[in-house]
Amino acid sequence: MKIIKYKKEKNNQYIVILENNIKIKLYEEVIIKYKLLIQKEIHELDEILRENKIYECYYSAIRFLNIKKRSKNEIKLKLQSLGFEKDEIEKTIIKIIKQNYINDRDYAISFVKEKILLTIHGPNRIKNDLRKKGIEEDIINMAMEQYDLNIQNEKINKLINKIIKMNQNKGTIYLKRKIYNNLEYQGFNKENIDEIIKTKTFTENKNAKEKEEERLRKKYINKYNGIKLEYKIKAELKRKGLLFKDEEI
């Protein structure tokens, strides 16, 4: 099949116009590999198109990587979503690994470092995020070595202080429950949280309890009366950690 002419396109591609006005788009590397500029004729069209698809897969991965660093599994999933075949993806992954465009070890180290610097995430949350990205467990453990206990405790301490400051009108039970829920959600270990909490002083806020009781009484006075009203108020105070031991329902 004779080649009539070439038309340069963006992204390192050419439109190749064949006889009978047939048009195909090929990457420059494919044109060079099959010496199409010299031969001026195509003899193995199916083979050339298969080779071109591999380059399409490769350049799709490169464009994805240009946005930000990715793990090997993220690249694989992205290429699958674009409809590339298994062998096309495998050849692309091998190529970009050789070119050091992806490196799960370096990726994991950078990921953990970024989370330490820019977030309040604890070690468990970061590990889970890396697992979702398909990073192997031994690489995760290696990368997490930079997130040592001193850094974790510093973050836990700051978070606890912030929660206490923002909840000064809450009771100790409520406050501790909120601290545990928040820090465990962020991915910190319960043992580490316990150690820091032991260093904190929690004082029952009588004024906060009285103000909340007054607010609740006004809220429920028209709905309940007598024993039912008192029970409802105490139940709410208990839920907020403002009911002291000698005032149990």
Side-chain angles (χ1 to χ4, degrees), residues 178-200:
K178 189 174 182 67
I179 288 169
Y180 276 111
N181 289 344
N182 191 299
L183 270 69
E184 287 186 329
Y185 171 77
Q186 292 299 342
F188 291 98
N189 295 314
K190 187 176 184 300
E191 296 77 14
N192 293 9
I193 301 170
D194 283 334
E195 287 299 315
I196 304 297
I197 282 183
K198 287 177 185 177
T199 68
K200 304 296 178 182

PDB file of all heavy atoms in Angstrom, residues 178-200:
ATOM      1  N   LYS A 178     -14.031  12.073  72.368  1.00  0.00           N
ATOM      2  CA  LYS A 178     -13.799  12.823  71.138  1.00  0.00           C
ATOM      3  C   LYS A 178     -12.333  12.728  70.712  1.00  0.00           C
ATOM      4  O   LYS A 178     -12.025  12.581  69.524  1.00  0.00           O
ATOM      5  CB  LYS A 178     -14.186  14.296  71.342  1.00  0.00           C
ATOM      6  CG  LYS A 178     -14.174  15.118  70.050  1.00  0.00           C
ATOM      7  CD  LYS A 178     -14.697  16.514  70.295  1.00  0.00           C
ATOM      8  CE  LYS A 178     -14.742  17.319  68.993  1.00  0.00           C
ATOM      9  NZ  LYS A 178     -15.741  16.793  68.048  1.00  0.00           N
ATOM     10  N   ILE A 179     -11.426  12.800  71.674  1.00  0.00           N
ATOM     11  CA  ILE A 179      -9.992  12.689  71.384  1.00  0.00           C
ATOM     12  C   ILE A 179      -9.676  11.329  70.775  1.00  0.00           C
ATOM     13  O   ILE A 179      -9.006  11.236  69.739  1.00  0.00           O
ATOM     14  CB  ILE A 179      -9.157  12.921  72.656  1.00  0.00           C
ATOM     15  CG1 ILE A 179      -9.194  14.409  73.044  1.00  0.00           C
ATOM     16  CG2 ILE A 179      -7.708  12.467  72.455  1.00  0.00           C
ATOM     17  CD1 ILE A 179      -8.627  14.706  74.415  1.00  0.00           C
ATOM     18  N   TYR A 180     -10.167  10.268  71.418  1.00  0.00           N
ATOM     19  CA  TYR A 180      -9.894   8.918  70.915  1.00  0.00           C
ATOM     20  C   TYR A 180     -10.476   8.722  69.508  1.00  0.00           C
ATOM     21  O   TYR A 180      -9.790   8.219  68.610  1.00  0.00           O
ATOM     22  CB  TYR A 180     -10.479   7.867  71.860  1.00  0.00           C
ATOM     23  CG  TYR A 180      -9.587   7.528  73.022  1.00  0.00           C
ATOM     24  CD1 TYR A 180      -9.929   7.901  74.318  1.00  0.00           C
ATOM     25  CD2 TYR A 180      -8.393   6.837  72.839  1.00  0.00           C
ATOM     26  CE1 TYR A 180      -9.102   7.603  75.398  1.00  0.00           C
ATOM     27  CE2 TYR A 180      -7.561   6.531  73.904  1.00  0.00           C
ATOM     28  CZ  TYR A 180      -7.927   6.921  75.185  1.00  0.00           C
ATOM     29  OH  TYR A 180      -7.097   6.628  76.239  1.00  0.00           O
ATOM     30  N   ASN A 181     -11.719   9.135  69.324  1.00  0.00           N
ATOM     31  CA  ASN A 181     -12.370   8.957  68.022  1.00  0.00           C
ATOM     32  C   ASN A 181     -11.630   9.705  66.923  1.00  0.00           C
ATOM     33  O   ASN A 181     -11.399   9.181  65.827  1.00  0.00           O
ATOM     34  CB  ASN A 181     -13.824   9.436  68.083  1.00  0.00           C
ATOM     35  CG  ASN A 181     -14.706   8.512  68.902  1.00  0.00           C
ATOM     36  OD1 ASN A 181     -14.331   7.370  69.179  1.00  0.00           O
ATOM     37  ND2 ASN A 181     -15.861   8.995  69.311  1.00  0.00           N
ATOM     38  N   ASN A 182     -11.243  10.944  67.230  1.00  0.00           N
ATOM     39  CA  ASN A 182     -10.568  11.777  66.241  1.00  0.00           C
ATOM     40  C   ASN A 182      -9.198  11.218  65.873  1.00  0.00           C
ATOM     41  O   ASN A 182      -8.863  11.066  64.688  1.00  0.00           O
ATOM     42  CB  ASN A 182     -10.432  13.202  66.787  1.00  0.00           C
ATOM     43  CG  ASN A 182      -9.975  14.197  65.736  1.00  0.00           C
ATOM     44  OD1 ASN A 182      -8.895  14.067  65.183  1.00  0.00           O
ATOM     45  ND2 ASN A 182     -10.792  15.206  65.478  1.00  0.00           N
ATOM     46  N   LEU A 183      -8.403  10.879  66.879  1.00  0.00           N
ATOM     47  CA  LEU A 183      -7.035  10.432  66.622  1.00  0.00           C
ATOM     48  C   LEU A 183      -6.982   9.033  66.020  1.00  0.00           C
ATOM     49  O   LEU A 183      -6.114   8.749  65.188  1.00  0.00           O
ATOM     50  CB  LEU A 183      -6.195  10.499  67.907  1.00  0.00           C
ATOM     51  CG  LEU A 183      -5.481  11.857  68.104  1.00  0.00           C
ATOM     52  CD1 LEU A 183      -6.484  12.961  68.403  1.00  0.00           C
ATOM     53  CD2 LEU A 183      -4.463  11.777  69.224  1.00  0.00           C
ATOM     54  N   GLU A 184      -7.902   8.162  66.430  1.00  0.00           N
ATOM     55  CA  GLU A 184      -7.935   6.831  65.811  1.00  0.00           C
ATOM     56  C   GLU A 184      -8.396   6.926  64.359  1.00  0.00           C
ATOM     57  O   GLU A 184      -7.907   6.187  63.507  1.00  0.00           O
ATOM     58  CB  GLU A 184      -8.849   5.903  66.615  1.00  0.00           C
ATOM     59  CG  GLU A 184      -8.218   5.469  67.945  1.00  0.00           C
ATOM     60  CD  GLU A 184      -9.043   4.445  68.694  1.00  0.00           C
ATOM     61  OE1 GLU A 184     -10.288   4.469  68.561  1.00  0.00           O
ATOM     62  OE2 GLU A 184      -8.449   3.622  69.408  1.00  0.00           O
ATOM     63  N   TYR A 185      -9.306   7.842  64.076  1.00  0.00           N
ATOM     64  CA  TYR A 185      -9.727   8.074  62.691  1.00  0.00           C
ATOM     65  C   TYR A 185      -8.552   8.567  61.846  1.00  0.00           C
ATOM     66  O   TYR A 185      -8.405   8.178  60.682  1.00  0.00           O
ATOM     67  CB  TYR A 185     -10.866   9.090  62.647  1.00  0.00           C
ATOM     68  CG  TYR A 185     -11.211   9.549  61.248  1.00  0.00           C
ATOM     69  CD1 TYR A 185     -11.957   8.739  60.396  1.00  0.00           C
ATOM     70  CD2 TYR A 185     -10.775  10.789  60.775  1.00  0.00           C
ATOM     71  CE1 TYR A 185     -12.256   9.152  59.096  1.00  0.00           C
ATOM     72  CE2 TYR A 185     -11.069  11.206  59.480  1.00  0.00           C
ATOM     73  CZ  TYR A 185     -11.815  10.388  58.649  1.00  0.00           C
ATOM     74  OH  TYR A 185     -12.095  10.800  57.373  1.00  0.00           O
ATOM     75  N   GLN A 186      -7.714   9.414  62.432  1.00  0.00           N
ATOM     76  CA  GLN A 186      -6.546   9.930  61.715  1.00  0.00           C
ATOM     77  C   GLN A 186      -5.460   8.872  61.552  1.00  0.00           C
ATOM     78  O   GLN A 186      -4.519   9.068  60.780  1.00  0.00           O
ATOM     79  CB  GLN A 186      -5.969  11.158  62.439  1.00  0.00           C
ATOM     80  CG  GLN A 186      -6.851  12.385  62.415  1.00  0.00           C
ATOM     81  CD  GLN A 186      -7.148  12.903  61.020  1.00  0.00           C
ATOM     82  OE1 GLN A 186      -6.453  12.573  60.063  1.00  0.00           O
ATOM     83  NE2 GLN A 186      -8.192  13.705  60.887  1.00  0.00           N
ATOM     84  N   GLY A 187      -5.597   7.752  62.260  1.00  0.00           N
ATOM     85  CA  GLY A 187      -4.672   6.648  62.041  1.00  0.00           C
ATOM     86  C   GLY A 187      -3.580   6.487  63.077  1.00  0.00           C
ATOM     87  O   GLY A 187      -2.565   5.830  62.816  1.00  0.00           O
ATOM     88  N   PHE A 188      -3.783   7.059  64.272  1.00  0.00           N
ATOM     89  CA  PHE A 188      -2.788   6.886  65.338  1.00  0.00           C
ATOM     90  C   PHE A 188      -3.142   5.670  66.185  1.00  0.00           C
ATOM     91  O   PHE A 188      -4.306   5.284  66.301  1.00  0.00           O
ATOM     92  CB  PHE A 188      -2.723   8.139  66.213  1.00  0.00           C
ATOM     93  CG  PHE A 188      -2.150   9.327  65.506  1.00  0.00           C
ATOM     94  CD1 PHE A 188      -2.971  10.296  64.955  1.00  0.00           C
ATOM     95  CD2 PHE A 188      -0.768   9.469  65.357  1.00  0.00           C
ATOM     96  CE1 PHE A 188      -2.443  11.391  64.279  1.00  0.00           C
ATOM     97  CE2 PHE A 188      -0.234  10.559  64.685  1.00  0.00           C
ATOM     98  CZ  PHE A 188      -1.074  11.525  64.146  1.00  0.00           C
ATOM     99  N   ASN A 189      -2.122   5.068  66.790  1.00  0.00           N
ATOM    100  CA  ASN A 189      -2.319   3.878  67.614  1.00  0.00           C
ATOM    101  C   ASN A 189      -2.861   4.249  68.986  1.00  0.00           C
ATOM    102  O   ASN A 189      -2.439   5.242  69.585  1.00  0.00           O
ATOM    103  CB  ASN A 189      -0.991   3.124  67.775  1.00  0.00           C
ATOM    104  CG  ASN A 189      -0.489   2.562  66.456  1.00  0.00           C
ATOM    105  OD1 ASN A 189      -1.242   1.974  65.698  1.00  0.00           O
ATOM    106  ND2 ASN A 189       0.791   2.772  66.176  1.00  0.00           N
ATOM    107  N   LYS A 190      -3.783   3.422  69.473  1.00  0.00           N
ATOM    108  CA  LYS A 190      -4.415   3.682  70.767  1.00  0.00           C
ATOM    109  C   LYS A 190      -3.385   3.767  71.892  1.00  0.00           C
ATOM    110  O   LYS A 190      -3.505   4.588  72.806  1.00  0.00           O
ATOM    111  CB  LYS A 190      -5.442   2.591  71.088  1.00  0.00           C
ATOM    112  CG  LYS A 190      -6.282   2.860  72.323  1.00  0.00           C
ATOM    113  CD  LYS A 190      -7.326   1.782  72.509  1.00  0.00           C
ATOM    114  CE  LYS A 190      -8.231   2.104  73.699  1.00  0.00           C
ATOM    115  NZ  LYS A 190      -7.503   2.207  74.978  1.00  0.00           N
ATOM    116  N   GLU A 191      -2.359   2.918  71.835  1.00  0.00           N
ATOM    117  CA  GLU A 191      -1.338   2.911  72.889  1.00  0.00           C
ATOM    118  C   GLU A 191      -0.618   4.263  72.968  1.00  0.00           C
ATOM    119  O   GLU A 191      -0.377   4.783  74.057  1.00  0.00           O
ATOM    120  CB  GLU A 191      -0.307   1.800  72.634  1.00  0.00           C
ATOM    121  CG  GLU A 191      -0.857   0.386  72.681  1.00  0.00           C
ATOM    122  CD  GLU A 191      -1.631   0.000  71.431  1.00  0.00           C
ATOM    123  OE1 GLU A 191      -1.519   0.720  70.404  1.00  0.00           O
ATOM    124  OE2 GLU A 191      -2.376  -1.001  71.481  1.00  0.00           O
ATOM    125  N   ASN A 192      -0.311   4.831  71.799  1.00  0.00           N
ATOM    126  CA  ASN A 192       0.355   6.133  71.775  1.00  0.00           C
ATOM    127  C   ASN A 192      -0.557   7.242  72.287  1.00  0.00           C
ATOM    128  O   ASN A 192      -0.120   8.151  72.995  1.00  0.00           O
ATOM    129  CB  ASN A 192       0.819   6.467  70.352  1.00  0.00           C
ATOM    130  CG  ASN A 192       1.913   5.535  69.867  1.00  0.00           C
ATOM    131  OD1 ASN A 192       2.226   4.542  70.513  1.00  0.00           O
ATOM    132  ND2 ASN A 192       2.495   5.836  68.731  1.00  0.00           N
ATOM    133  N   ILE A 193      -1.835   7.152  71.916  1.00  0.00           N
ATOM    134  CA  ILE A 193      -2.807   8.144  72.391  1.00  0.00           C
ATOM    135  C   ILE A 193      -2.915   8.084  73.908  1.00  0.00           C
ATOM    136  O   ILE A 193      -2.913   9.118  74.595  1.00  0.00           O
ATOM    137  CB  ILE A 193      -4.198   7.900  71.748  1.00  0.00           C
ATOM    138  CG1 ILE A 193      -4.095   7.983  70.220  1.00  0.00           C
ATOM    139  CG2 ILE A 193      -5.208   8.921  72.256  1.00  0.00           C
ATOM    140  CD1 ILE A 193      -5.359   7.528  69.492  1.00  0.00           C
ATOM    141  N   ASP A 194      -2.981   6.868  74.444  1.00  0.00           N
ATOM    142  CA  ASP A 194      -3.078   6.682  75.903  1.00  0.00           C
ATOM    143  C   ASP A 194      -1.907   7.337  76.625  1.00  0.00           C
ATOM    144  O   ASP A 194      -2.091   7.993  77.661  1.00  0.00           O
ATOM    145  CB  ASP A 194      -3.115   5.186  76.252  1.00  0.00           C
ATOM    146  CG  ASP A 194      -4.472   4.566  75.986  1.00  0.00           C
ATOM    147  OD1 ASP A 194      -5.469   5.300  76.023  1.00  0.00           O
ATOM    148  OD2 ASP A 194      -4.532   3.353  75.732  1.00  0.00           O
ATOM    149  N   GLU A 195      -0.705   7.141  76.107  1.00  0.00           N
ATOM    150  CA  GLU A 195       0.490   7.680  76.754  1.00  0.00           C
ATOM    151  C   GLU A 195       0.443   9.204  76.841  1.00  0.00           C
ATOM    152  O   GLU A 195       0.823   9.792  77.847  1.00  0.00           O
ATOM    153  CB  GLU A 195       1.748   7.247  75.989  1.00  0.00           C
ATOM    154  CG  GLU A 195       2.115   5.779  76.161  1.00  0.00           C
ATOM    155  CD  GLU A 195       2.412   5.429  77.614  1.00  0.00           C
ATOM    156  OE1 GLU A 195       3.134   6.202  78.278  1.00  0.00           O
ATOM    157  OE2 GLU A 195       1.905   4.381  78.075  1.00  0.00           O
ATOM    158  N   ILE A 196      -0.017   9.846  75.781  1.00  0.00           N
ATOM    159  CA  ILE A 196      -0.083  11.315  75.768  1.00  0.00           C
ATOM    160  C   ILE A 196      -1.212  11.797  76.673  1.00  0.00           C
ATOM    161  O   ILE A 196      -1.055  12.780  77.411  1.00  0.00           O
ATOM    162  CB  ILE A 196      -0.287  11.861  74.332  1.00  0.00           C
ATOM    163  CG1 ILE A 196       0.812  11.357  73.407  1.00  0.00           C
ATOM    164  CG2 ILE A 196      -0.312  13.387  74.350  1.00  0.00           C
ATOM    165  CD1 ILE A 196       2.205  11.803  73.759  1.00  0.00           C
ATOM    166  N   ILE A 197      -2.354  11.114  76.629  1.00  0.00           N
ATOM    167  CA  ILE A 197      -3.492  11.521  77.458  1.00  0.00           C
ATOM    168  C   ILE A 197      -3.143  11.487  78.946  1.00  0.00           C
ATOM    169  O   ILE A 197      -3.599  12.324  79.729  1.00  0.00           O
ATOM    170  CB  ILE A 197      -4.725  10.640  77.163  1.00  0.00           C
ATOM    171  CG1 ILE A 197      -5.383  11.103  75.855  1.00  0.00           C
ATOM    172  CG2 ILE A 197      -5.742  10.686  78.298  1.00  0.00           C
ATOM    173  CD1 ILE A 197      -6.641  10.385  75.483  1.00  0.00           C
ATOM    174  N   LYS A 198      -2.298  10.536  79.334  1.00  0.00           N
ATOM    175  CA  LYS A 198      -1.887  10.431  80.742  1.00  0.00           C
ATOM    176  C   LYS A 198      -1.158  11.680  81.225  1.00  0.00           C
ATOM    177  O   LYS A 198      -1.124  11.969  82.424  1.00  0.00           O
ATOM    178  CB  LYS A 198      -0.981   9.209  80.927  1.00  0.00           C
ATOM    179  CG  LYS A 198      -1.707   7.881  80.873  1.00  0.00           C
ATOM    180  CD  LYS A 198      -0.716   6.720  80.984  1.00  0.00           C
ATOM    181  CE  LYS A 198      -1.410   5.377  80.820  1.00  0.00           C
ATOM    182  NZ  LYS A 198      -0.454   4.245  80.844  1.00  0.00           N
ATOM    183  N   THR A 199      -0.558  12.416  80.292  1.00  0.00           N
ATOM    184  CA  THR A 199       0.193  13.628  80.668  1.00  0.00           C
ATOM    185  C   THR A 199      -0.707  14.857  80.754  1.00  0.00           C
ATOM    186  O   THR A 199      -0.250  15.928  81.164  1.00  0.00           O
ATOM    187  CB  THR A 199       1.312  13.908  79.637  1.00  0.00           C
ATOM    188  OG1 THR A 199       0.730  14.297  78.381  1.00  0.00           O
ATOM    189  CG2 THR A 199       2.181  12.681  79.441  1.00  0.00           C
ATOM    190  N   LYS A 200      -1.990  14.713  80.363  1.00  0.00           N
ATOM    191  CA  LYS A 200      -2.907  15.849  80.351  1.00  0.00           C
ATOM    192  C   LYS A 200      -3.742  15.917  81.621  1.00  0.00           C
ATOM    193  O   LYS A 200      -4.055  14.889  82.227  1.00  0.00           O
ATOM    194  CB  LYS A 200      -3.847  15.767  79.130  1.00  0.00           C
ATOM    195  CG  LYS A 200      -3.143  15.687  77.786  1.00  0.00           C
ATOM    196  CD  LYS A 200      -2.356  16.945  77.493  1.00  0.00           C
ATOM    197  CE  LYS A 200      -1.614  16.833  76.176  1.00  0.00           C
ATOM    198  NZ  LYS A 200      -0.807  18.026  75.894  1.00  0.00           N
TER     199      LYS A 200
END
